[in-house]
Amino acid sequence: MNSKLILRLAIIGVVLLVIGAIAGALNPFMPARASAEANATDSLFNVMIMIGTIIFLIVEGVLVYSILRFRKKPNDETDGPPMHGNTALELVWTAIPAIIVTFLSVAAFSVFAATQVPRDNELVVRVKGQQFVWSFSYPHDPSVNMRASDVLVLPVDQPIRFDIEAADVMHGFWIPEFRIKQDAVPGRITEVRTLPTLKGEYSVVCYELCGSGHGVMRNAVKVVERSEYEKYLDTLIVRPPAKPAPGEHTPEWGKYLIISATYACGGCHYLPDANIAGVTGPTWVGIGDRAATRVPGQDARTYLQHAILYPNEYIVPGYPANVMPQNYAEVMSDTDLNSIVDYLLQQKAGQAAQAK
Ligand code: CUA
C-alpha cells in the first residue's frame, strides 16, 4: 500500500466516524425518556446506531463505488480476472463483526445489570397478562378488598418492582417509555424494575405474539404525583354495601359477594360487571335471560337457587359435572343465596354488552 492510499483511507475513516457519531447523537427513534433506566439504554442504542451507520456507509459506499468504477465499457466482452478468495480479507471481515458483537453483548448486559439492581423502598406491583389484557394489583391492607386495575398508575420518583405472571400463554410486558421489557411466563413469576421519573401517560404493550388479540393488548400507564396515586388506589377498594337484614336480600350485596370472592364464584364463571373471568363453568353474561328456560317447571329464581345449592341436578350442556362445590347448601345463608340470585337475574344481554 502506498502512503497516498493510506492517507485517503484514513481521511475516509475519520469522516465515517464523525458521520456515525452525529447519527448516534441525533438518534431520532426513541420515545420519551420517562424512567431512570432510559438514559443508559439510550446511550447503548446511540452506540449501536453509530456502529450501524458506519457499517452502512462502508458497505453502500464500496457498492456504489464499485458500480461506477468497474462498469463494463461499451463493446467490452472480456471476462474479469479469475479470483479465488482472499484469506486476509476474510479474516478481517469475520474478526471485526465478532469484536463488535462481543462488545455490544458485554455493554448490553452491563446496562441491564446496572438498571436492575434492587432499590430501597420498592413498591411491588403485581402484573398479570392474559388474552388480551393486562391487569395490575397493588399492595394493600389485607383487611380490605382491592380489585385489580386495568390502568397502571405509578407515583413519580418511586422505585417499582413488577412481579409478572401470565394466566394463559406467554405474553411480553413492555413499557417503551421506561425502556423495560420482561417475558410473562405461565407458571412462574418474572421480575423487572424501574424508577419512573417523568409524569405523563404512556402504554404497556404486549411484545409476544399471544393470539388473535395480541395487537390490541395495550393498557394505559399513568405516572402521577403520589397524592394522585393514593387517590387512585382508594377507588380500587371494594367497599361492602350495607348487609341486608336477616330474611332480606339485595342485588348489591350479591354483587359484593362475587367481587370479594366470598364463595370463589370467579374461579370458574365469567362476568365483566363483577370483575370475574373464569372459564371452567358457564358464562354469567346474560344469565338473567336464560335462567327461566333451563329446566321445565322451574322459574328463573328457582333454577338459579338450585343451580347453586344442588349443582349436579342440572348441568349446562358442554360443561363437566362435579366441578361446582357441592356444599353451598350448608355454608351459604339465605340472605347470601338470594342476594346472589337477585344480582344474577339482573344480568341481561344488553347490560352485558355495556359492561364489556
Ligand atoms: Cu399478549 Cu401478545
Side-chain angles (χ1 to χ4, degrees), residues 70 78-84:
F70 302 110
T78 58
D79 252 345
M83 269 194 202
H84 183 79

Side-chain angles (χ1 to χ4, degrees), residues 287 291 294-295 298-307 314 316:
I287 182 73
R294 293 287 206 209
V295 179
Q298 280 185 355
D299 62 21
R301 176 170 292 275
T302 312
Y303 166 72
L304 289 173
Q305 287 169 340
H306 280 236
Y314 171 81
V316 178

